[in-house]
């Protein structure tokens, strides 16, 4: 069954770019125009593919403030479109993550998820930018659902 999901994911990757194919470790990198590459990997035991992207441009000089802001974004969920931020020890940086359910998805929803993930990378970078005008306009107590996304885009 997992082999079927591997073939399905390879087919969807091919539709994005004929050069994209899972490697022997069931992973593939997708290059993005203005952000880090996205690693897509197939779960070993579930019909899930993991999307994962390091965020090197965040302000790492104040880790406590960075972690607090990451936890706030994770708790609201809305600005990141269901993605979440996680610390990656090996890279020593925050990464954006998302799990896509292959059993419930199709090629169109997969492609949309990739595009939404890339958008979430940009939104995350802008929300964390030092002295970001977007952050200056968002009161601390304001919930994510009240943020004007047009200002952030």
């Amino acid at each position: 069954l997992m082999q079927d999901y591997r073939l399905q994911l390879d087919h969807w990757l091919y539709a994005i770019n004929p050069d994209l194919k899972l490697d022997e470790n069931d992973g593939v990198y997708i290059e993005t125009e203005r952000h880090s590459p996205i690693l897509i990997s197939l779960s070993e035991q579930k019909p899930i593919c993991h999307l994962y992207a390091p965020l090197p441009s965040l302000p790492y000089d104040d880790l406590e403030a960075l972690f607090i802001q990451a936890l706030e974004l994770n708790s609201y969920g809305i600005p990141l479109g269901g993605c979440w931020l996680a610390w990656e020890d090996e890279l020593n940086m925050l990464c954006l993550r998302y799990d896509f359910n292959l059993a419930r998805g199709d090629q169109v929803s997969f492609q949309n998820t990739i595009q939404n993930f890339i958008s979430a990378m940009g939104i995350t970078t802008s929300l964390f930018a030092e002295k970001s005008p977007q952050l200056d306009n968002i009161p601390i107590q304001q919930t994510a659902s009240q943020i004007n996304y047009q200002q952030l885009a």
Side-chain angles (χ1 to χ4, degrees):
L1 188 60
M2 288 309 295
Q3 185 62 22
D4 293 341
Y5 289 118
R6 188 184 203 290
L7 291 171
Q8 175 182 319
L9 183 54
D10 264 339
H11 177 74
W12 293 350
L13 289 165
Y14 182 87
I16 293 171
N17 180 331
D19 294 331
L20 294 177
K21 183 177 175 74
L22 293 171
D23 63 20
E24 64 277 357
N25 297 317
D26 288 335
V28 64
Y29 284 96
I30 295 181
E31 295 295 327
T32 62
E33 215 170 283
R34 295 184 303 274
H35 305 291
S36 301
I38 300 168
L39 170 63
I40 297 177
S41 64
L42 184 63
S43 170
E44 292 180 14
Q45 299 172 356
K46 296 180 181 178
I48 301 287
C49 72
H50 308 287
L51 280 68
Y52 164 97
L55 300 167
S57 63
L58 301 186
Y60 289 97
D61 53 330
D62 184 353
L63 284 181
E64 183 179 352
L66 184 77
F67 291 157
I68 288 170
Q69 192 171 359
L71 288 171
E72 287 174 347
L73 283 172
N74 282 348
S75 72
Y76 295 133
I78 294 169
L80 304 184
C83 301
W84 69 92
L85 295 163
W87 182 255
E88 178 58 53
D89 271 338
E90 288 180 24
L91 298 174
N92 206 27
M93 71 177 64
L94 282 176
C95 295
L96 190 68
R97 303 205 48 161
Y98 185 81
D99 288 344
F100 182 84
N101 188 324
L102 295 165
R104 294 189 184 145
D106 60 19
Q107 182 173 327
V108 172
S109 62
F110 178 72
Q111 289 176 336
N112 288 340
T113 297
I114 299 293
Q115 288 304 314
N116 292 340
F117 190 81
I118 292 169
S119 295
M121 291 170 71
I123 289 169
T124 303
T125 302
S126 69
L127 285 173
F128 276 97
E130 290 181 285
K131 298 185 177 133
S132 165
Q134 290 92 342
L135 279 180
D136 291 342
N137 294 331
I138 300 171
I140 299 301
Q141 67 274 20
Q142 188 174 21
T143 64
S145 61
Q146 296 168 313
I147 296 172
N148 181 342
Y149 292 103
Q150 297 309 312
Q151 286 180 328
L152 300 177

